[in-house]
Amino acid sequence: MLISARQGSILRRIQETGDVSVQQLADDLGVSLSTIRRDLNQLSSEGQLRRVHGGGSLDAEKIPFREVLAAGPPSKENIARRAAELVRDGDVVLLDIGTTTALLARALRGRQITVMTSSIAVLDELRTDTEVELVILGGVLRRSYHSLVGSMTLESLANIRASIGFLGCSGVRPDTTVLDTTGIEVPVKHALLAASSNIVLLADETKFPGVGLREVCTASRIGTLVTSKGADPQTLEAFRTSGSEVILA
């Protein structure tokens, strides 16, 4: 089997099932374990899948939120602190789900602002803060990733307007396409874009290209990108060319 055909088969299987093991792929495709590992590593480097222990995955729910937070690069905290500086007192702030926005919520503690979110992780960070006015959007609980999703979440977002919105992602392509891995979250992200006057994308160096097959937006919708010094320089330049401010935290 040609390499392109084999890798195409691997991607189709992951899209169908959410994740696959090295052993399963080797047995099904009739090749060695080392061949499958090379294929998975290459597809991961291209942002086609997420390389996990023993296989590959497209589904963020396969990796518990606490593990994602614990395994995240130190640059996430730097990004969160720098992003917090973009918020002014009195702002209405809309926070996306994800580990970096949870860290941003922590950095916003004690501020005289309103925070609106569908993230349970943000709720956990701000529930005891008496300065921040916290608004939790309705929805169905997605336990594995500490978020609320569904029609109630979308209806809530359709009825609000934020002065600044912070968007997370699972990957950023060299052409500035912002990606996510889970279809159930993408409509929420689209609604967040529509509800915010100013959009800030938070993406650490591992998100270039990261993973994901579902498009959220492109740089034309991003006012500011806050990222880390290890991010791909060509992609950052493409954001600047599109008119986005790029901040290295």
Side-chain angles (χ1 to χ4, degrees):
M1 180 183 293
L2 294 175
I3 294 176
S4 59
R6 187 176 65 245
Q7 292 184 353
S9 180
I10 290 172
L11 286 175
R12 284 192 297 274
R13 290 164 192 258
I14 289 181
Q15 291 171 31
E16 291 169 357
T17 64
D19 62 352
V20 290
S21 70
V22 172
Q23 186 65 63
Q24 178 186 355
L25 288 170
D27 292 342
D28 291 347
L29 298 176
V31 295
S32 67
L33 296 176
S34 60
T35 295
I36 294 298
R37 291 191 185 99
R38 284 196 298 271
D39 285 339
L40 291 175
N41 289 338
Q42 179 179 338
L43 292 169
S44 175
S45 68
E46 295 171 355
Q48 299 290 335
L49 55 81
R50 187 191 303 274
R51 188 73 164 90
V52 297
H53 180 68
S57 173
L58 264 184
D59 190 351
E61 292 193 8
K62 301 297 180 181
I63 308 174
F65 184 89
R66 293 186 184 279
E67 290 186 19
V68 176
L69 182 60
S75 56
K76 283 193 175 188
E77 292 194 14
N78 295 333
I79 289 171
R81 285 193 292 267
R82 184 64 182 87
E85 296 175 6
L86 302 176
V87 177
R88 298 171 296 182
D89 286 348
D91 271 349
V92 177
V93 182
L94 187 52
L95 294 186
D96 195 7
I97 64 108
T99 54
T100 308
T101 50
L103 293 170
L104 172 56
R106 184 180 302 173
L108 291 173
R109 286 182 60 86
R111 298 286 300 276
Q112 294 184 349
I113 56 176
T114 297
V115 171
M116 300 185 292
T117 188
S118 59
S119 168
I120 302 302
V122 170
L123 167 63
D124 290 341
E125 292 292 343
L126 296 177
R127 67 169 73 238
T128 61
D129 192 310
T130 58
E131 295 296 324
V132 174
E133 182 179 8
L134 182 60
V135 179
I136 302 300
L137 306 175
V140 178
L141 178 62
R142 184 181 169 214
R143 290 180 176 83
S144 59
Y145 215 63
H146 294 202
S147 65
L148 299 168
V149 296
S151 59
M152 290 180 63
T153 312
L154 298 178
E155 289 171 9
S156 297
L157 284 164
N159 291 306
I160 62 176
R161 192 67 180 172
S163 46
I164 187 168
F166 291 90
L167 180 71
C169 67
S170 63
V172 183
R173 295 285 193 211
D175 66 356
T176 79
T177 300
V178 179
L179 302 170
D180 197 71
T181 58
T182 50
I184 197 169
E185 295 286 359
V186 171
V188 177
K189 292 179 184 292
H190 288 164
L192 183 151
L193 291 170
S196 305
S197 300
N198 179 25
I199 294 294
V200 180
L201 176 64
L202 308 179
D204 64 74
E205 71 274 13
T206 67
K207 303 298 177 65
F208 298 82
V211 297
L213 297 177
R214 298 173 176 88
E215 181 175 337
V216 176
C217 66
T218 61
S220 62
R221 191 62 186 86
I222 304 299
T224 304
L225 165 62
V226 184
T227 186
S228 45
K229 295 179 182 178
D232 177 61
Q234 292 183 334
T235 306
L236 299 187
E237 187 56 36
F239 269 85
R240 294 187 184 98
T241 300
S242 295
S244 303
E245 178 185 12
V246 176
I247 297 174
L248 296 179

